[in-house]
Amino acid sequence: MSLKFFDKLSQNLIELLTDKDDYNVIIEVENKEKSFTAHSNVLKFRSSYFRKELENIQPNENNIKIIIKSSISAQIFNVVLRYIYGGIVDLENCETRFIYDLMLAADEFELEELTNKLETLLIETKGSWLRTHFSFIYHFIFNRNELKKLKNFCNDIVVKHPNLIFNADDFTSLEESALVSLIKRNDLQIEEVRIWDYVIKWGIAQTSTLPANHDDWTKENFLTLKTTLQQCLPHIRYFHLTSIEVVDKIEPYKKILDKQLWKDINQHLLVPERPVKSIVLPPRSVLVTELPTRAEEPRESFSTIISEEHAAEISTWIDRKTTVYTLTNIPYKFELILRGTRDGFAPQTFWNICHGHAYTVVLVKVKGTDEIIGGYNPLAWDKDTDGKWMETKNSFIFSLKNGNIQNSILSRVKGQYAVYNRSKNDQIKGGPYFGDFFMHSMESNFTLDDNCYCCGYGDCYEKSIRPSSSGRFSIINYEVFEIVKKTT
């Protein structure tokens, strides 16, 4: 029989923390403006970081050891210290950024238990915030040796939406470990030749001594680049490139490859059935989202908002047909890019995930009604503009037949104000913008206020898709699909 009294033990240890009589350690934080007292025996048995630090610090004349952590805030360190002593962390009413910073501090102090708990908490309950601040988080966490769950969470997003990282302005500042963790994935959704281009671009950016003109490179220059990319080159799927790609892209940099590999690549192009000495990696898998047909067994719907009949109607509008496609001859695949209930409702999430995607349909389920409204944009969404209208004759907005909504409404663009790419400052509160229909939230969450809007007069498009008296609205969910032509 075992009697356990952990609550009382925790309370007594926290009381020890506040006792100023017997401390022998001072930790200075926040640029030495704040300080905390502690006990070396508690610190070193609870944290391998503090054990190593205390072993290397000589006590002062009062037999006190001083640890300086200037970059840690007093608020964060107070929580860390109370966890070390009492095993309790109170996150009531804490902002997500505070939880994230606390996780980084716990990782720095090698508090594995606390780090893992906070990492799981962020992934399971704060996914929207993580996606909204994706670029900032992604570039930072790969400076750390741990945080494996968060790294996997981020990479699971990037492999499906590689433009988030590879087309970002700060791509070349990516940590080597982050780049390697991506290009080794079998499910990275980029053509292999583009992966090679990005790897070369990243390698050149890390090597400032290389001549700007590739034709001027010496043998030593190629050797330098080879050394820089030694962790990346083994993960390229060379034997799944076409002959044109090898000639145009690989051959100019053949000097950074091992001689046997270059020999095997050429042999494979000439005699593909003959075995080679080099390691042949499998081709990358292609993720495909097909619309289910009636002949198939029931399975999870491709959308939580629209039906196959709606998809057929939207496809008809895209092709400007007068007769609606049947379910068996829909010419397009609706490939899911974003779902609010999965990816979050922050406006910035839309721009981060949909950046670079063209031929997209935005679908919105209006709160409190049966309305499903949306818009089609054949042009690419661009999060890197200062705010710019895009002109196209092929965009349209619509309302779909659903529940009490008896008929669908199609409204085609009638002027030059078809689709608007918001400025970076505007993306914090503003989502997709189709002239007379846009998504907006002062709370930076489309479900928390009534700031989405449809014009009742049809200024930019032929007609209104909602009654003029409907006003602004909130949403339950929204989805963005990329419309891809089916191959026969």
Side-chain angles (χ1 to χ4, degrees):
M1 182 177 180
S2 176
L3 301 178
K4 300 180 179 180
F5 304 95
F6 291 133
D7 289 346
K8 184 64 176 177
L9 174 63
S10 174
Q11 177 184 338
N12 290 152
L13 285 171
I14 290 178
E15 290 172 355
L16 173 64
L17 175 62
T18 60
D19 185 358
K20 301 298 183 182
D21 291 338
D22 299 318
Y23 70 88
N24 62 347
V25 179
I26 294 177
I27 304 100
E28 297 181 347
V29 302
E30 219 166 276
N31 293 321
K32 300 184 180 181
E33 293 185 5
K34 303 285 185 179
S35 64
F36 294 83
T37 58
H39 306 81
S40 59
N41 283 336
V42 176
L43 293 179
K44 69 181 182 181
F45 281 105
R46 291 283 284 158
S47 165
S48 56
Y49 170 87
F50 281 116
R51 176 179 291 274
K52 288 178 287 189
E53 283 290 301
L54 290 168
E55 287 176 352
N56 295 322
I57 295 176
Q58 293 298 320
N60 62 16
E61 63 276 8
N62 296 318
N63 204 32
I64 302 294
K65 293 187 176 184
I66 299 176
I67 299 174
I68 299 174
K69 297 297 296 180
S70 296
S71 61
I72 301 291
S73 75
Q75 187 180 11
I76 289 287
F77 192 73
N78 181 56
V79 176
V80 168
L81 209 52
R82 290 179 69 85
Y83 163 77
I84 289 175
Y85 275 75
I88 296 174
V89 175
D90 182 8
L91 298 177
E92 193 74 26
N93 300 320
C94 286
E95 295 183 355
T96 306
R97 177 59 191 267
F98 180 85
I99 299 174
Y100 174 76
D101 288 341
L102 179 60
M103 177 195 68
L104 296 181
D107 179 57
E108 182 174 351
F109 292 125
E110 299 177 17
L111 302 171
E112 184 177 352
E113 176 190 49
L114 179 57
T115 303
N116 288 339
K117 288 288 186 182
L118 294 175
E119 199 177 3
T120 300
L121 176 67
L122 285 169
I123 292 170
E124 293 182 353
T125 67
K126 306 296 182 181
S128 175
W129 186 90
L130 292 174
R131 292 179 178 90
T132 300
H133 301 83
F134 187 84
S135 181
F136 161 73
I137 292 169
Y138 194 84
H139 280 263
F140 193 82
I141 61 175
F142 280 90
N143 283 318
R144 305 299 183 103
N145 292 326
E146 300 303 324
L147 306 180
K148 293 179 180 178
K149 287 184 286 187
L150 193 55
K151 290 175 183 178
N152 288 335
F153 172 84
C154 289
N155 274 347
D156 285 344
I157 295 174
V158 176
V159 294
K160 297 177 183 177
H161 310 289
N163 287 343
L164 286 174
I165 295 300
F166 288 94
N167 284 356
D169 294 338
D170 54 358
F171 164 70
T172 54
S173 66
L174 198 64
E175 286 288 318
E176 180 185 48
S177 60
L179 181 59
V180 172
S181 71
L182 279 175
I183 64 175
K184 71 193 299 185
R185 294 272 299 243
N186 288 334
D187 53 351
L188 180 57
Q189 300 297 291
I190 316 182
E191 299 89 343
E192 199 64 36
V193 69
R194 290 184 61 207
I195 296 175
W196 169 264
D197 285 340
Y198 284 122
V199 167
I200 294 297
K201 176 182 178 181
W202 181 88
I204 292 175
Q206 313 311 308
T207 317
S208 58
T209 58
L210 295 176
N213 188 344
H214 174 267
D215 294 333
D216 296 333
W217 284 19
T218 64
K219 181 179 179 180
E220 287 71 24
N221 293 144
F222 283 104
L223 181 59
T224 299
L225 182 61
K226 180 179 181 178
T227 302
T228 300
L229 295 177
Q230 59 183 327
Q231 300 300 320
C232 298
L233 295 176
H235 302 293
I236 303 296
R237 316 300 164 94
Y238 302 98
F239 298 96
H240 301 287
L241 296 170
T242 67
S243 56
I244 293 177
E245 290 169 345
V246 170
V247 171
D248 290 348
K249 300 292 186 176
I250 308 298
E251 187 172 22
Y253 295 94
K254 65 181 181 181
K255 292 180 182 178
I256 71 172
L257 303 179
D258 292 338
K259 290 182 179 180
Q260 183 63 51
L261 175 58
W262 178 241
K263 179 181 178 180
D264 287 342
I265 292 172
N266 282 281
Q267 175 187 303
H268 179 74
L269 293 176
L270 294 173
V271 193
E273 65 276 7
R274 182 174 296 176
V276 297
K277 295 181 180 180
S278 301
I279 296 175
V280 179
L281 297 175
R284 298 187 195 272
S285 58
V286 178
L287 304 179
V288 178
T289 304
E290 293 280 0
L291 282 176
T293 64
R294 288 177 178 240
E296 295 177 328
E297 292 295 321
R299 63 184 185 182
E300 184 180 357
S301 174
F302 74 101
S303 171
T304 61
I305 297 178
I306 65 170
S307 65
E308 295 176 62
E309 287 80 5
H310 289 138
E313 188 171 31
I314 294 170
S315 299
T316 303
W317 293 336
I318 292 173
D319 287 349
R320 297 181 180 268
K321 299 289 186 181
T322 56
T323 303
V324 177
Y325 287 119
T326 65
L327 299 185
T328 57
N329 72 346
I330 299 174
Y332 299 107
K333 296 180 290 185
F334 280 53
E335 297 188 348
L336 183 67
I337 302 172
L338 183 155
R339 175 174 289 149
T341 53
R342 181 192 71 183
D343 301 309
F345 294 95
Q348 188 67 60
T349 299
F350 169 81
W351 297 103
N352 287 345
I353 292 180
C354 296
H355 173 72
H357 287 278
Y359 305 104
T360 55
V361 168
V362 177
L363 299 164
V364 173
K365 186 71 173 69
V366 178
K367 184 178 181 179
T369 74
D370 291 320
E371 291 173 283
I372 299 172
I373 61 176
Y376 171 68
N377 175 21
L379 306 177
W381 297 103
D382 186 356
K383 69 182 181 70
D384 294 327
T385 72
D386 294 325
K388 181 180 180 181
W389 281 102
M390 297 190 293
E391 184 176 354
T392 172
K393 296 180 180 180
N394 294 321
S395 66
F396 55 83
I397 57 176
F398 55 85
S399 173
L400 296 174
K401 179 181 178 180
N402 184 57
N404 293 326
I405 311 301
Q406 297 183 353
N407 297 296
S408 297
I409 300 174
L410 168 65
S411 179
R412 295 192 180 277
V413 66
K414 65 180 182 180
Q416 61 181 337
Y417 302 110
V419 182
Y420 186 67
N421 280 321
R422 297 180 185 267
S423 66
K424 291 184 178 181
N425 290 336
D426 197 21
Q427 291 168 18
I428 298 172
K429 300 185 185 300
Y433 196 149
F434 293 88
D436 297 333
F437 157 52
F438 61 78
M439 296 176 67
H440 193 272
S441 171
M442 297 303 294
E443 300 291 333
S444 293
N445 185 316
F446 297 128
T447 65
L448 295 183
D449 54 14
D450 299 326
N451 273 297
C452 296
Y453 181 70
C454 270
C455 176
Y457 306 100
D459 292 335
C460 302
Y461 286 75
E462 293 173 339
K463 64 185 85 167
S464 175
I465 59 174
R466 297 190 79 214
S468 58
S469 60
S470 297
R472 295 179 180 268
F473 60 92
S474 183
I475 71 169
I476 297 173
N477 194 14
Y478 85 114
E479 296 174 331
V480 183
F481 290 91
E482 185 167 345
I483 310 303
V484 179
K485 192 78 172 179
K486 291 181 179 177
T487 56
T488 56

